[in-house]
């Protein structure tokens, strides 16, 4: 079944390149990103995993753990990691789930048979500290993902979670934010001490609260 925003992220126990993990326990009380790659020893996936390894500190400072998954077996993961390290000039530093029985892929609806009936698509799930799904993305095998965009979205999700703001089109960290329609003008005056500009009653702009 498809996973929708607000659903609880399915829990699982799986073998990874960093040992057996129980997903919810592994997440702890921080944020998580679970992302699938279609197959080991493939070019786009090689660049994606190298990119994520280089961004580990950026995910870490946002309190986000990252974990990859493919339906390939552990021995393939181990051999391929050597190639990723060599060709992407990095050291793999996050776990990859070996999912040859497709337990995780099926639980997260990562196999889209009309695209490919064996490999997963490129799925991304961002999971909040409450274990609820906050964001889903689905890319085809031929398009590598933009992980800077993923960090941008996580910044927006965390602002919403912590400060009751939304972020406008093309927002980037440091730009003005939008006060959630659920917050009254009266409450906004105390919640947003830097003030706000009510362009319309439903469009209230405030400086980014944590800047
Ligand atoms: C790739 O990672 O390059 C790839 C994987 C599966 C199908 C097509 C491309």
């Amino acid at each position: 079944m498809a996973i929708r925003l607000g659903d609880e992220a399915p829990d699982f126990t799986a073998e990874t390149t960093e040992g057996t993990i129980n997903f919810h326990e592994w997440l702890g009380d921080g944020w998580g990103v679970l992302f699938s790659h279609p197959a080991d020893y493939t070019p786009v996936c090689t660049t994606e995993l190298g990119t994520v390894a280089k961004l580990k500190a950026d995910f870490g400072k946002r309190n986000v753990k990252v974990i990859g998954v493919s339906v390939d077996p552990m021995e393939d993961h181990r051999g391929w990691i050597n190639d990723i390290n060599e060709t992407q000039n990095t050291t793999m530093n996050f776990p990859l789930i070996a999912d040859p029985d497709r337990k995780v892929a099926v639980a997260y609806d990562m196999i889209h048979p009309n695209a490919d009936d064996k490999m997963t698509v490129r799925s991304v799930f961002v999971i909040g500290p409450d274990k609820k799904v906050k964001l889903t993305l689905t890319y085809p095998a031929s398009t590598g993902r933009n992980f800077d965009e993923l960090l941008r979205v996580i910044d927006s999700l965390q602002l919403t979670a912590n400060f009751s703001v939304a972020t406008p089109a093309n927002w980037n960290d440091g730009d003005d934010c939008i006060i959630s329609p659920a917050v009254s003008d009266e409450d906004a005056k105390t919640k947003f001490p830097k003030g706000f500009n009510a362009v319309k009653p439903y469009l209230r702009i405030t400086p980014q609260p944590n800047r």
Side-chain angles (χ1 to χ4, degrees):
M1 203 165 101
I3 309 275
R4 295 179 176 173
L5 301 189
D7 290 354
E8 179 160 304
D11 196 15
F12 56 82
T13 298
E15 300 306 312
T16 83
T17 50
E18 297 186 2
T20 306
I21 64 151
N22 170 266
F23 187 50
H24 282 194
E25 265 174 32
W26 178 82
L27 284 170
D29 40 20
W31 292 69
V33 169
L34 170 67
F35 71 111
S36 57
H37 54 273
D40 293 5
Y41 295 108
T42 50
V44 176
C45 299
T46 301
T47 63
E48 285 196 328
L49 294 192
T51 298
V52 173
K54 287 177 190 157
L55 291 173
K56 170 121 183 228
D58 295 281
F59 286 105
K61 72 183 179 213
R62 292 163 171 84
N63 194 25
V64 181
K65 286 183 170 177
V66 180
I67 189 164
V69 58
S70 86
V71 295
D72 290 314
M74 187 67 76
E75 73 243 35
D76 285 6
H77 281 7
R78 294 209 187 285
W80 183 41
I81 281 174
N82 295 329
D83 287 2
I84 295 168
N85 291 344
E86 179 196 326
T87 63
Q88 306 305 303
N89 202 19
T90 190
T91 302
M92 276 291 287
N93 49 19
F94 61 91
L96 285 185
I97 298 166
D99 189 36
D101 60 4
R102 302 174 172 209
K103 197 171 57 181
V104 177
V106 168
Y108 280 83
D109 194 33
M110 291 167 164
I111 296 177
H112 297 194
N114 292 326
D116 190 293
D117 60 0
K118 291 189 188 65
M119 302 185 297
T120 63
V121 292
R122 296 188 195 280
S123 300
V124 183
F125 295 89
V126 177
I127 296 154
D130 56 1
K131 309 291 181 293
K132 300 274 169 50
V133 173
K134 307 297 181 188
L135 175 98
T136 66
L137 289 172
T138 306
Y139 278 46
S142 52
T143 303
R145 286 158 285 199
N146 183 329
F147 292 94
D148 292 331
E149 164 64 3
L150 186 56
L151 289 168
R152 188 193 75 88
V153 176
I154 289 169
D155 284 339
S156 171
L157 293 170
Q158 294 187 339
L159 277 173
T160 302
N162 297 329
F163 297 102
S164 307
V165 289
T167 56
N170 292 345
W171 174 87
N172 280 301
D173 189 37
D175 291 349
D176 287 349
C177 297
I178 291 171
I179 298 174
S180 162
V183 178
S184 69
D185 277 351
E186 204 50 35
D187 288 347
K189 284 178 196 150
T190 49
K191 232 172 151 46
F192 302 101
K194 292 175 191 161
F196 61 90
N197 174 22
V199 181
K200 292 280 180 191
Y202 58 84
L203 177 56
R204 296 168 299 169
I205 309 292
T206 191
Q208 184 172 320
N210 62 347
R211 280 299 185 97

